[in-house]
mmCIF file of all heavy atoms in Angstrom:
data_model
loop_
_atom_site.group_PDB
_atom_site.id
_atom_site.type_symbol
_atom_site.label_atom_id
_atom_site.label_comp_id
_atom_site.label_asym_id
_atom_site.label_seq_id
_atom_site.Cartn_x
_atom_site.Cartn_y
_atom_site.Cartn_z
ATOM 1 N N CYS X 123 7.776 -8.037 -12.870
ATOM 2 C CA CYS X 123 8.210 -7.099 -13.911
ATOM 3 C C CYS X 123 8.752 -5.833 -13.359
ATOM 4 O O CYS X 123 9.782 -5.351 -13.834
ATOM 5 C CB CYS X 123 6.990 -6.774 -14.907
ATOM 6 S SG CYS X 123 6.543 -8.104 -15.915
ATOM 7 N N SER X 130 8.379 1.063 -10.577
ATOM 8 C CA SER X 130 7.408 0.823 -9.544
ATOM 9 C C SER X 130 6.362 1.973 -9.551
ATOM 10 O O SER X 130 6.709 3.073 -9.874
ATOM 11 C CB SER X 130 8.087 0.775 -8.184
ATOM 12 O OG SER X 130 7.164 0.589 -7.139
ATOM 13 N N THR X 239 -3.642 -21.104 -5.786
ATOM 14 C CA THR X 239 -2.791 -21.924 -6.624
ATOM 15 C C THR X 239 -2.494 -23.295 -6.013
ATOM 16 O O THR X 239 -2.563 -24.325 -6.712
ATOM 17 C CB THR X 239 -1.440 -21.215 -6.914
ATOM 18 O OG1 THR X 239 -1.701 -19.944 -7.532
ATOM 19 C CG2 THR X 239 -0.536 -22.003 -7.803
ATOM 20 N N PRO X 249 3.584 -29.405 5.481
ATOM 21 C CA PRO X 249 4.648 -30.213 4.953
ATOM 22 C C PRO X 249 4.218 -31.638 4.723
ATOM 23 O O PRO X 249 3.268 -32.111 5.333
ATOM 24 C CB PRO X 249 5.755 -30.176 6.077
ATOM 25 C CG PRO X 249 5.050 -29.628 7.285
ATOM 26 C CD PRO X 249 3.786 -28.947 6.852
#
Side-chain angles (χ1 to χ4, degrees):
C123 287
S130 178
T239 302

